[in-house]
C-alpha cells in the first residue's frame, strides 16, 4: 500500500494540470491524504487535471481523506469527475472538499459529478463525525452518483450543495444525489451525525431512477441550511 500526501501541510502534494487523472489506482489499501488535486498550491485557483481527480478501478480499502483539516484533500477543478470508484469495494471517502476551493466556499467545480460510484458496493462516503464530512458542492453535474450493480454503499454526514459552513448555496448543477439502478444503499442514518444536508442543487435533491430499489433515506435535511432553519 502507498500513502500519497500525509497528515501535515508539509506533506501535501499538489497534483494538477495533468492530461489525464490526477491519481489513478488499480490496487488496494492506499491512503490519499491532504493533497490539492486540480488546484494551484494555494488551493484557490483552478488548475484541473484533464481527467478525473482521483480514480479507483478494481480497488478495495482505499481511504481518500482523513479526520483532520490537514488530512483533507481538495479535489476540485478537474475536467471530468472529482472522485470515481469503479468496480471497487470497502473504500472510504471522508473529510474532503470536492468541487470547492480550500476555503470551503469558493466554487471550483469538477466538470462532471463530484463523486461517482459505479458497479461497486460497501463503500462509505462521509461518516458519523464532523471530521468525516465531505463537502461536495459546485460540481457541473451531480454531487454524488451511484450507478449499476453493487449497491449497499453508505452516504452519511455530508454537505452536498452548500458550503463548508452549512449556510451558503453552492449547488451542484444537477441532482444532489443521483441513484441509477443501484440497490440497497443508505443515505443518512439513525443519528443526527449521520444526517446529510442536501441543499441548493439545481436538479432534484435526491433522484432514484431505473428500478433503484430497497434504498434507505432517513434523517437528512433536503433543501435547508445545516441548522434546518433556512
Amino acid at each position: 500500500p502507498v500513502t500519497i500526501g500525509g497528515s501535515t501541510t508539509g506533506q501535501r502534494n499538489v497534483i494538477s494540470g495533468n492530461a489525464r487523472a490526477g491519481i489513478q489506482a488499480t490496487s488496494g489499501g492506499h491512503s490519499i491524504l491532504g493533497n490539492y488535486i486540480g488546484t494551484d498550491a494555494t488551493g484557490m485557483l483552478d488548475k484541473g487535471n484533464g481527467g478525473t481527480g482521483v480514480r479507483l478501478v478494481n480497488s478495495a480499502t482505499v481511504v481518500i481523506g482523513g479526520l483532520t483539516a490537514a488530512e483533507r484533500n481538495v479535489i476540485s477543478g478537474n475536467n471530468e469527475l472529482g472522485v470515481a470508484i469503479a468496480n471497487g469495494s470497502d473504500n472510504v471517502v471522508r473529510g474532503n472538499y470536492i468541487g470547492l476551493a480550500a476555503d470551503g466556499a469558493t466554487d471550483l467545480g469538477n466538470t462532471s459529478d463530484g463523486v461517482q460510484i459505479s458497479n461497486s458496493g460497501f463503500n462509505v462516503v462521509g461518516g458519523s463525525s464532523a471530521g468525516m464530512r465531505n463537502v461536495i458542492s459546485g460540481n457541473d453535474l451531480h454531487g454524488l452518483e451511484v450507478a449499476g450493480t453493487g449497491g449497499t454503499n453508505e452516504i452519511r454526514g455530508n454537505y452536498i450543495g452548500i458550503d463548508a459552513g452549512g449556510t451558503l448555496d453552492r449547488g451542484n448543477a444537477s441532482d444532489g444525489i443521483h441513484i441509477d439502478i443501484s440497490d440497497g444503499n443508505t443515505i443518512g442514518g439513525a443519528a443526527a451525525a449521520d444526517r446529510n444536508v442536501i441543499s441548493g442543487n439545481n436538479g432534484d435533491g435526491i433522484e432514484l431512477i431505473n428500478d433503484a430499489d430497497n434504498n434507505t433515506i432517513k434523517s437528512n435535511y433536503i433543501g435547508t441550511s445545516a441548522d434546518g432553519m433556512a
Side-chain angles (χ1 to χ4, degrees):
V2 175
T3 299
I4 301 173
S7 56
T8 67
T9 56
Q11 295 173 309
R12 174 184 300 140
N13 298 290
V14 180
I15 305 171
S16 302
N18 298 288
R20 296 175 65 182
I23 297 171
Q24 178 162 300
T26 57
S27 56
H30 310 305
S31 298
I32 302 170
L33 307 171
N35 304 288
Y36 287 175
I37 304 171
T39 75
D40 74 331
T42 70
M44 295 301 298
L45 298 178
D46 183 339
K47 300 294 180 184
N49 296 290
T52 291
V54 179
R55 178 174 168 80
L56 307 183
V57 181
N58 300 320
S59 298
T61 65
V62 175
V63 178
I64 302 172
L67 304 178
T68 68
E71 293 176 333
R72 174 188 303 130
N73 298 293
V74 177
I75 307 171
S76 301
N78 298 289
N79 293 328
E80 291 183 6
L81 304 156
V83 175
I85 300 172
N87 303 310
S89 64
D90 300 295
N91 301 290
V92 177
V93 182
R94 64 187 184 193
N96 305 287
Y97 291 168
I98 303 174
L100 298 182
D103 64 357
T106 300
D107 186 338
L108 287 184
N110 299 289
T111 301
S112 186
D113 299 332
V115 178
Q116 184 186 84
I117 300 172
S118 58
N119 299 317
S120 302
F122 304 102
N123 301 284
V124 178
V125 180
S128 298
S129 71
M132 296 179 180
R133 176 186 302 135
N134 298 290
V135 183
I136 307 171
S137 301
N139 298 289
D140 293 350
L141 193 56
H142 308 304
L144 188 149
E145 180 176 12
V146 183
T149 59
T152 62
N153 300 286
E154 296 184 8
I155 304 163
R156 294 187 271 124
N158 304 288
Y159 287 177
I160 302 175
I162 59 174
D163 76 318
T167 61
L168 300 178
D169 182 341
R170 296 292 183 266
N172 298 288
S174 190
D175 301 332
I177 297 176
H178 183 85
I179 309 292
D180 186 351
I181 302 173
S182 186
D183 297 339
N185 303 286
T186 300
I187 301 172
D194 295 326
R195 175 185 302 128
N196 298 289
V197 182
I198 307 165
S199 301
N201 299 291
N202 295 325
D204 298 317
I206 300 173
E207 182 177 33
L208 298 96
I209 62 171
N210 296 326
D211 298 319
D213 297 327
N214 300 313
N215 294 284
T216 300
I217 302 169
K218 57 186 177 184
S219 301
N220 304 286
Y221 288 169
I222 305 172
T224 75
S225 56
D227 64 4
M229 300 300 291

